[in-house]
Amino acid sequence: MEIDQTLPLKRENVLDRASIVVSTVMFTLLIILVSLQVVLRTFNIPITATWTEPIARYLFIVGTYFGAAVASRNNEHVRLTLVRQKVLAGRKRAQSVLDIVTVLSVLVFVVVAIWTLYLATIHGWDTKALGGVTTLTAGHIYLGILLGFGLMAVFEIQNLLAALENLLGRDITARFTRGGK
């Protein structure tokens, strides 16, 4: 297996690092909890850890959306690469327009998801405890998913700006960064 050396290097900022760290911590905790469950069940250890299964399940659910945000950060979501590479080969302007349409489609979905998750978080905040974990409610789970989608929106906006820069052939974010006018 080879590493794709054609991917452009991207400067990281605090949000990039935070999303990767949070995703990694969630995944690590998930592996630890699942491993603990396997060990306890395999060796019939008389320790009651009923909380590990629901916590692992909810970490998996919320971690999926933080992973989707990391995929957006790396511009690795499903794209129309076949159309882009085969049909529009050599037509940079058409490829840029396709990129913009694709990112806008993703952004529309993400905005709708954020709104519905916001409502679900508010309505589910005071629900009964979930899965034997006395302090965890549906609202907490929805909030975690909402945060993942929020990160995804930020990264997709960055992808949109990059696609617009490719289309226009100039740096449109210079005025938002140091030294830009």
Side-chain angles (χ1 to χ4, degrees), residues 62-92:
V62 173
T64 299
Y65 295 99
F66 275 86
V70 171
S72 285
R73 173 207 178 270
N74 296 334
N75 207 11
E76 294 175 339
H77 273 294
V78 175
R79 304 279 187 218
L80 300 172
T81 54
L82 178 68
V83 173
R84 191 176 194 285
Q85 293 173 355
K86 302 293 182 191
V87 177
L88 301 177
R91 295 189 271 189
K92 296 288 184 190

PDB file of all heavy atoms in Angstrom, residues 62-92:
ATOM      1  N   VAL A  62     -21.250   9.205  18.420  1.00  0.00           N
ATOM      2  CA  VAL A  62     -20.748  10.585  18.374  1.00  0.00           C
ATOM      3  C   VAL A  62     -19.404  10.643  17.652  1.00  0.00           C
ATOM      4  O   VAL A  62     -19.155  11.553  16.851  1.00  0.00           O
ATOM      5  CB  VAL A  62     -20.653  11.173  19.801  1.00  0.00           C
ATOM      6  CG1 VAL A  62     -19.989  12.527  19.793  1.00  0.00           C
ATOM      7  CG2 VAL A  62     -22.043  11.272  20.421  1.00  0.00           C
ATOM      8  N   GLY A  63     -18.552   9.647  17.896  1.00  0.00           N
ATOM      9  CA  GLY A  63     -17.249   9.621  17.246  1.00  0.00           C
ATOM     10  C   GLY A  63     -17.336   9.530  15.731  1.00  0.00           C
ATOM     11  O   GLY A  63     -16.471  10.037  15.012  1.00  0.00           O
ATOM     12  N   THR A  64     -18.384   8.894  15.235  1.00  0.00           N
ATOM     13  CA  THR A  64     -18.591   8.805  13.791  1.00  0.00           C
ATOM     14  C   THR A  64     -18.704  10.189  13.172  1.00  0.00           C
ATOM     15  O   THR A  64     -18.134  10.463  12.110  1.00  0.00           O
ATOM     16  CB  THR A  64     -19.867   7.989  13.487  1.00  0.00           C
ATOM     17  OG1 THR A  64     -19.695   6.673  14.002  1.00  0.00           O
ATOM     18  CG2 THR A  64     -20.169   7.934  12.010  1.00  0.00           C
ATOM     19  N   TYR A  65     -19.400  11.096  13.836  1.00  0.00           N
ATOM     20  CA  TYR A  65     -19.605  12.430  13.285  1.00  0.00           C
ATOM     21  C   TYR A  65     -18.365  13.304  13.447  1.00  0.00           C
ATOM     22  O   TYR A  65     -18.102  14.168  12.600  1.00  0.00           O
ATOM     23  CB  TYR A  65     -20.850  13.064  13.901  1.00  0.00           C
ATOM     24  CG  TYR A  65     -22.071  12.281  13.481  1.00  0.00           C
ATOM     25  CD1 TYR A  65     -22.650  11.340  14.321  1.00  0.00           C
ATOM     26  CD2 TYR A  65     -22.592  12.412  12.205  1.00  0.00           C
ATOM     27  CE1 TYR A  65     -23.722  10.579  13.920  1.00  0.00           C
ATOM     28  CE2 TYR A  65     -23.666  11.656  11.787  1.00  0.00           C
ATOM     29  CZ  TYR A  65     -24.234  10.737  12.644  1.00  0.00           C
ATOM     30  OH  TYR A  65     -25.290   9.977  12.232  1.00  0.00           O
ATOM     31  N   PHE A  66     -17.589  13.074  14.492  1.00  0.00           N
ATOM     32  CA  PHE A  66     -16.309  13.771  14.582  1.00  0.00           C
ATOM     33  C   PHE A  66     -15.354  13.239  13.518  1.00  0.00           C
ATOM     34  O   PHE A  66     -14.561  13.989  12.953  1.00  0.00           O
ATOM     35  CB  PHE A  66     -15.715  13.646  15.991  1.00  0.00           C
ATOM     36  CG  PHE A  66     -16.239  14.680  16.932  1.00  0.00           C
ATOM     37  CD1 PHE A  66     -17.421  14.468  17.627  1.00  0.00           C
ATOM     38  CD2 PHE A  66     -15.579  15.873  17.114  1.00  0.00           C
ATOM     39  CE1 PHE A  66     -17.924  15.419  18.486  1.00  0.00           C
ATOM     40  CE2 PHE A  66     -16.068  16.839  17.976  1.00  0.00           C
ATOM     41  CZ  PHE A  66     -17.234  16.614  18.662  1.00  0.00           C
ATOM     42  N   GLY A  67     -15.428  11.944  13.225  1.00  0.00           N
ATOM     43  CA  GLY A  67     -14.639  11.374  12.136  1.00  0.00           C
ATOM     44  C   GLY A  67     -15.055  11.944  10.787  1.00  0.00           C
ATOM     45  O   GLY A  67     -14.215  12.190   9.918  1.00  0.00           O
ATOM     46  N   ALA A  68     -16.359  12.178  10.614  1.00  0.00           N
ATOM     47  CA  ALA A  68     -16.838  12.805   9.376  1.00  0.00           C
ATOM     48  C   ALA A  68     -16.291  14.225   9.256  1.00  0.00           C
ATOM     49  O   ALA A  68     -15.957  14.679   8.156  1.00  0.00           O
ATOM     50  CB  ALA A  68     -18.367  12.820   9.351  1.00  0.00           C
ATOM     51  N   ALA A  69     -16.166  14.919  10.378  1.00  0.00           N
ATOM     52  CA  ALA A  69     -15.591  16.269  10.358  1.00  0.00           C
ATOM     53  C   ALA A  69     -14.120  16.212   9.949  1.00  0.00           C
ATOM     54  O   ALA A  69     -13.657  17.042   9.162  1.00  0.00           O
ATOM     55  CB  ALA A  69     -15.745  16.934  11.726  1.00  0.00           C
ATOM     56  N   VAL A  70     -13.396  15.222  10.458  1.00  0.00           N
ATOM     57  CA  VAL A  70     -11.984  15.071  10.068  1.00  0.00           C
ATOM     58  C   VAL A  70     -11.891  14.748   8.576  1.00  0.00           C
ATOM     59  O   VAL A  70     -11.017  15.260   7.875  1.00  0.00           O
ATOM     60  CB  VAL A  70     -11.284  13.994  10.936  1.00  0.00           C
ATOM     61  CG1 VAL A  70      -9.901  13.670  10.394  1.00  0.00           C
ATOM     62  CG2 VAL A  70     -11.189  14.465  12.379  1.00  0.00           C
ATOM     63  N   ALA A  71     -12.799  13.934   8.070  1.00  0.00           N
ATOM     64  CA  ALA A  71     -12.822  13.633   6.631  1.00  0.00           C
ATOM     65  C   ALA A  71     -13.102  14.902   5.824  1.00  0.00           C
ATOM     66  O   ALA A  71     -12.492  15.115   4.769  1.00  0.00           O
ATOM     67  CB  ALA A  71     -13.860  12.560   6.325  1.00  0.00           C
ATOM     68  N   SER A  72     -13.990  15.758   6.313  1.00  0.00           N
ATOM     69  CA  SER A  72     -14.243  17.034   5.634  1.00  0.00           C
ATOM     70  C   SER A  72     -13.000  17.909   5.664  1.00  0.00           C
ATOM     71  O   SER A  72     -12.663  18.576   4.688  1.00  0.00           O
ATOM     72  CB  SER A  72     -15.397  17.788   6.299  1.00  0.00           C
ATOM     73  OG  SER A  72     -16.625  17.214   5.962  1.00  0.00           O
ATOM     74  N   ARG A  73     -12.319  17.903   6.807  1.00  0.00           N
ATOM     75  CA  ARG A  73     -11.095  18.685   6.950  1.00  0.00           C
ATOM     76  C   ARG A  73     -10.075  18.268   5.900  1.00  0.00           C
ATOM     77  O   ARG A  73      -9.408  19.091   5.303  1.00  0.00           O
ATOM     78  CB  ARG A  73     -10.510  18.480   8.345  1.00  0.00           C
ATOM     79  CG  ARG A  73      -9.150  19.107   8.528  1.00  0.00           C
ATOM     80  CD  ARG A  73      -8.356  18.368   9.606  1.00  0.00           C
ATOM     81  NE  ARG A  73      -7.049  18.919   9.747  1.00  0.00           N
ATOM     82  CZ  ARG A  73      -5.987  18.496   9.062  1.00  0.00           C
ATOM     83  NH1 ARG A  73      -6.100  17.533   8.186  1.00  0.00           N
ATOM     84  NH2 ARG A  73      -4.810  19.051   9.247  1.00  0.00           N
ATOM     85  N   ASN A  74      -9.974  16.969   5.654  1.00  0.00           N
ATOM     86  CA  ASN A  74      -9.006  16.441   4.695  1.00  0.00           C
ATOM     87  C   ASN A  74      -9.550  16.379   3.275  1.00  0.00           C
ATOM     88  O   ASN A  74      -8.879  15.863   2.389  1.00  0.00           O
ATOM     89  CB  ASN A  74      -8.553  15.044   5.129  1.00  0.00           C
ATOM     90  CG  ASN A  74      -7.824  15.067   6.444  1.00  0.00           C
ATOM     91  OD1 ASN A  74      -7.229  16.073   6.825  1.00  0.00           O
ATOM     92  ND2 ASN A  74      -7.871  13.966   7.161  1.00  0.00           N
ATOM     93  N   ASN A  75     -10.773  16.859   3.082  1.00  0.00           N
ATOM     94  CA  ASN A  75     -11.433  16.841   1.774  1.00  0.00           C
ATOM     95  C   ASN A  75     -11.507  15.415   1.226  1.00  0.00           C
ATOM     96  O   ASN A  75     -11.271  15.167   0.058  1.00  0.00           O
ATOM     97  CB  ASN A  75     -10.715  17.768   0.795  1.00  0.00           C
ATOM     98  CG  ASN A  75     -11.638  18.288  -0.278  1.00  0.00           C
ATOM     99  OD1 ASN A  75     -12.858  18.139  -0.197  1.00  0.00           O
ATOM    100  ND2 ASN A  75     -11.080  18.899  -1.287  1.00  0.00           N
ATOM    101  N   GLU A  76     -11.852  14.476   2.111  1.00  0.00           N
ATOM    102  CA  GLU A  76     -11.891  13.061   1.751  1.00  0.00           C
ATOM    103  C   GLU A  76     -13.296  12.485   1.660  1.00  0.00           C
ATOM    104  O   GLU A  76     -13.459  11.275   1.554  1.00  0.00           O
ATOM    105  CB  GLU A  76     -11.087  12.250   2.774  1.00  0.00           C
ATOM    106  CG  GLU A  76      -9.616  12.549   2.755  1.00  0.00           C
ATOM    107  CD  GLU A  76      -8.847  11.836   3.839  1.00  0.00           C
ATOM    108  OE1 GLU A  76      -9.470  11.419   4.838  1.00  0.00           O
ATOM    109  OE2 GLU A  76      -7.632  11.700   3.702  1.00  0.00           O
ATOM    110  N   HIS A  77     -14.311  13.319   1.717  1.00  0.00           N
ATOM    111  CA  HIS A  77     -15.665  12.802   1.575  1.00  0.00           C
ATOM    112  C   HIS A  77     -15.901  12.372   0.139  1.00  0.00           C
ATOM    113  O   HIS A  77     -15.161  12.735  -0.772  1.00  0.00           O
ATOM    114  CB  HIS A  77     -16.697  13.862   1.979  1.00  0.00           C
ATOM    115  CG  HIS A  77     -17.001  13.852   3.427  1.00  0.00           C
ATOM    116  ND1 HIS A  77     -17.624  12.806   4.062  1.00  0.00           N
ATOM    117  CD2 HIS A  77     -16.758  14.758   4.393  1.00  0.00           C
ATOM    118  CE1 HIS A  77     -17.761  13.060   5.327  1.00  0.00           C
ATOM    119  NE2 HIS A  77     -17.227  14.245   5.565  1.00  0.00           N
ATOM    120  N   VAL A  78     -16.954  11.633  -0.046  1.00  0.00           N
ATOM    121  CA  VAL A  78     -17.294  11.150  -1.374  1.00  0.00           C
ATOM    122  C   VAL A  78     -17.498  12.353  -2.288  1.00  0.00           C
ATOM    123  O   VAL A  78     -18.257  13.266  -1.985  1.00  0.00           O
ATOM    124  CB  VAL A  78     -18.578  10.289  -1.323  1.00  0.00           C
ATOM    125  CG1 VAL A  78     -19.009   9.891  -2.709  1.00  0.00           C
ATOM    126  CG2 VAL A  78     -18.361   9.083  -0.433  1.00  0.00           C
ATOM    127  N   ARG A  79     -16.793  12.341  -3.358  1.00  0.00           N
ATOM    128  CA  ARG A  79     -16.894  13.395  -4.358  1.00  0.00           C
ATOM    129  C   ARG A  79     -17.163  12.736  -5.704  1.00  0.00           C
ATOM    130  O   ARG A  79     -17.051  11.525  -5.856  1.00  0.00           O
ATOM    131  CB  ARG A  79     -15.588  14.202  -4.444  1.00  0.00           C
ATOM    132  CG  ARG A  79     -15.128  14.800  -3.145  1.00  0.00           C
ATOM    133  CD  ARG A  79     -15.857  16.076  -2.849  1.00  0.00           C
ATOM    134  NE  ARG A  79     -15.258  16.698  -1.657  1.00  0.00           N
ATOM    135  CZ  ARG A  79     -15.952  17.312  -0.747  1.00  0.00           C
ATOM    136  NH1 ARG A  79     -17.253  17.421  -0.862  1.00  0.00           N
ATOM    137  NH2 ARG A  79     -15.375  17.860   0.283  1.00  0.00           N
ATOM    138  N   LEU A  80     -17.463  13.533  -6.672  1.00  0.00           N
ATOM    139  CA  LEU A  80     -17.718  13.017  -8.010  1.00  0.00           C
ATOM    140  C   LEU A  80     -16.393  12.901  -8.761  1.00  0.00           C
ATOM    141  O   LEU A  80     -16.186  13.524  -9.796  1.00  0.00           O
ATOM    142  CB  LEU A  80     -18.690  13.938  -8.748  1.00  0.00           C
ATOM    143  CG  LEU A  80     -20.051  14.087  -8.073  1.00  0.00           C
ATOM    144  CD1 LEU A  80     -20.873  15.160  -8.749  1.00  0.00           C
ATOM    145  CD2 LEU A  80     -20.791  12.776  -8.071  1.00  0.00           C
ATOM    146  N   THR A  81     -15.480  12.081  -8.225  1.00  0.00           N
ATOM    147  CA  THR A  81     -14.134  12.004  -8.785  1.00  0.00           C
ATOM    148  C   THR A  81     -14.111  11.409 -10.186  1.00  0.00           C
ATOM    149  O   THR A  81     -13.301  11.827 -11.014  1.00  0.00           O
ATOM    150  CB  THR A  81     -13.200  11.201  -7.868  1.00  0.00           C
ATOM    151  OG1 THR A  81     -13.789   9.938  -7.607  1.00  0.00           O
ATOM    152  CG2 THR A  81     -12.953  11.921  -6.568  1.00  0.00           C
ATOM    153  N   LEU A  82     -14.986  10.452 -10.467  1.00  0.00           N
ATOM    154  CA  LEU A  82     -15.014   9.862 -11.811  1.00  0.00           C
ATOM    155  C   LEU A  82     -15.372  10.938 -12.840  1.00  0.00           C
ATOM    156  O   LEU A  82     -14.702  11.078 -13.861  1.00  0.00           O
ATOM    157  CB  LEU A  82     -16.012   8.701 -11.876  1.00  0.00           C
ATOM    158  CG  LEU A  82     -16.150   8.051 -13.251  1.00  0.00           C
ATOM    159  CD1 LEU A  82     -14.860   7.330 -13.616  1.00  0.00           C
ATOM    160  CD2 LEU A  82     -17.315   7.097 -13.269  1.00  0.00           C
ATOM    161  N   VAL A  83     -16.416  11.697 -12.548  1.00  0.00           N
ATOM    162  CA  VAL A  83     -16.816  12.772 -13.460  1.00  0.00           C
ATOM    163  C   VAL A  83     -15.706  13.810 -13.552  1.00  0.00           C
ATOM    164  O   VAL A  83     -15.349  14.273 -14.638  1.00  0.00           O
ATOM    165  CB  VAL A  83     -18.135  13.434 -12.975  1.00  0.00           C
ATOM    166  CG1 VAL A  83     -18.468  14.658 -13.796  1.00  0.00           C
ATOM    167  CG2 VAL A  83     -19.263  12.431 -13.015  1.00  0.00           C
ATOM    168  N   ARG A  84     -15.139  14.135 -12.404  1.00  0.00           N
ATOM    169  CA  ARG A  84     -14.102  15.174 -12.350  1.00  0.00           C
ATOM    170  C   ARG A  84     -12.862  14.759 -13.127  1.00  0.00           C
ATOM    171  O   ARG A  84     -12.297  15.544 -13.888  1.00  0.00           O
ATOM    172  CB  ARG A  84     -13.747  15.456 -10.892  1.00  0.00           C
ATOM    173  CG  ARG A  84     -12.903  16.666 -10.685  1.00  0.00           C
ATOM    174  CD  ARG A  84     -12.700  16.898  -9.178  1.00  0.00           C
ATOM    175  NE  ARG A  84     -12.177  18.198  -8.909  1.00  0.00           N
ATOM    176  CZ  ARG A  84     -10.912  18.540  -9.121  1.00  0.00           C
ATOM    177  NH1 ARG A  84     -10.073  17.673  -9.624  1.00  0.00           N
ATOM    178  NH2 ARG A  84     -10.503  19.758  -8.853  1.00  0.00           N
ATOM    179  N   GLN A  85     -12.414  13.507 -12.963  1.00  0.00           N
ATOM    180  CA  GLN A  85     -11.157  13.071 -13.566  1.00  0.00           C
ATOM    181  C   GLN A  85     -11.300  12.574 -15.002  1.00  0.00           C
ATOM    182  O   GLN A  85     -10.383  12.737 -15.800  1.00  0.00           O
ATOM    183  CB  GLN A  85     -10.523  11.983 -12.707  1.00  0.00           C
ATOM    184  CG  GLN A  85     -10.055  12.495 -11.362  1.00  0.00           C
ATOM    185  CD  GLN A  85      -9.577  11.377 -10.448  1.00  0.00           C
ATOM    186  OE1 GLN A  85      -9.677  10.205 -10.773  1.00  0.00           O
ATOM    187  NE2 GLN A  85      -9.067  11.754  -9.289  1.00  0.00           N
ATOM    188  N   LYS A  86     -12.423  11.952 -15.328  1.00  0.00           N
ATOM    189  CA  LYS A  86     -12.568  11.363 -16.668  1.00  0.00           C
ATOM    190  C   LYS A  86     -13.318  12.288 -17.627  1.00  0.00           C
ATOM    191  O   LYS A  86     -12.848  12.567 -18.714  1.00  0.00           O
ATOM    192  CB  LYS A  86     -13.293  10.016 -16.579  1.00  0.00           C
ATOM    193  CG  LYS A  86     -12.606   8.999 -15.698  1.00  0.00           C
ATOM    194  CD  LYS A  86     -11.296   8.555 -16.286  1.00  0.00           C
ATOM    195  CE  LYS A  86     -10.685   7.490 -15.375  1.00  0.00           C
ATOM    196  NZ  LYS A  86      -9.339   7.174 -15.697  1.00  0.00           N
ATOM    197  N   VAL A  87     -14.480  12.748 -17.211  1.00  0.00           N
ATOM    198  CA  VAL A  87     -15.314  13.550 -18.102  1.00  0.00           C
ATOM    199  C   VAL A  87     -14.777  14.975 -18.230  1.00  0.00           C
ATOM    200  O   VAL A  87     -14.742  15.541 -19.321  1.00  0.00           O
ATOM    201  CB  VAL A  87     -16.780  13.555 -17.612  1.00  0.00           C
ATOM    202  CG1 VAL A  87     -17.642  14.442 -18.481  1.00  0.00           C
ATOM    203  CG2 VAL A  87     -17.331  12.134 -17.575  1.00  0.00           C
ATOM    204  N   LEU A  88     -14.346  15.533 -17.107  1.00  0.00           N
ATOM    205  CA  LEU A  88     -13.895  16.927 -17.115  1.00  0.00           C
ATOM    206  C   LEU A  88     -12.369  17.051 -17.126  1.00  0.00           C
ATOM    207  O   LEU A  88     -11.824  18.087 -16.755  1.00  0.00           O
ATOM    208  CB  LEU A  88     -14.462  17.663 -15.896  1.00  0.00           C
ATOM    209  CG  LEU A  88     -15.992  17.694 -15.773  1.00  0.00           C
ATOM    210  CD1 LEU A  88     -16.417  18.381 -14.493  1.00  0.00           C
ATOM    211  CD2 LEU A  88     -16.606  18.390 -16.987  1.00  0.00           C
ATOM    212  N   ALA A  89     -11.687  15.996 -17.539  1.00  0.00           N
ATOM    213  CA  ALA A  89     -10.218  16.004 -17.557  1.00  0.00           C
ATOM    214  C   ALA A  89      -9.704  17.177 -18.389  1.00  0.00           C
ATOM    215  O   ALA A  89     -10.146  17.398 -19.516  1.00  0.00           O
ATOM    216  CB  ALA A  89      -9.686  14.687 -18.106  1.00  0.00           C
ATOM    217  N   GLY A  90      -8.790  17.927 -17.811  1.00  0.00           N
ATOM    218  CA  GLY A  90      -8.183  19.046 -18.528  1.00  0.00           C
ATOM    219  C   GLY A  90      -8.996  20.328 -18.486  1.00  0.00           C
ATOM    220  O   GLY A  90      -8.524  21.367 -18.950  1.00  0.00           O
ATOM    221  N   ARG A  91     -10.191  20.283 -17.982  1.00  0.00           N
ATOM    222  CA  ARG A  91     -11.027  21.495 -17.908  1.00  0.00           C
ATOM    223  C   ARG A  91     -11.091  21.963 -16.456  1.00  0.00           C
ATOM    224  O   ARG A  91     -12.011  21.631 -15.721  1.00  0.00           O
ATOM    225  CB  ARG A  91     -12.411  21.217 -18.463  1.00  0.00           C
ATOM    226  CG  ARG A  91     -12.366  20.889 -19.949  1.00  0.00           C
ATOM    227  CD  ARG A  91     -13.723  20.825 -20.524  1.00  0.00           C
ATOM    228  NE  ARG A  91     -14.207  19.446 -20.382  1.00  0.00           N
ATOM    229  CZ  ARG A  91     -15.311  18.991 -20.929  1.00  0.00           C
ATOM    230  NH1 ARG A  91     -16.074  19.800 -21.612  1.00  0.00           N
ATOM    231  NH2 ARG A  91     -15.664  17.749 -20.761  1.00  0.00           N
ATOM    232  N   LYS A  92     -10.093  22.720 -16.069  1.00  0.00           N
ATOM    233  CA  LYS A  92      -9.950  23.147 -14.674  1.00  0.00           C
ATOM    234  C   LYS A  92     -11.140  23.979 -14.206  1.00  0.00           C
ATOM    235  O   LYS A  92     -11.600  23.833 -13.084  1.00  0.00           O
ATOM    236  CB  LYS A  92      -8.657  23.959 -14.492  1.00  0.00           C
ATOM    237  CG  LYS A  92      -7.408  23.174 -14.751  1.00  0.00           C
ATOM    238  CD  LYS A  92      -7.175  22.205 -13.644  1.00  0.00           C
ATOM    239  CE  LYS A  92      -5.851  21.488 -13.861  1.00  0.00           C
ATOM    240  NZ  LYS A  92      -5.657  20.392 -12.970  1.00  0.00           N
TER     241      LYS A  92
END
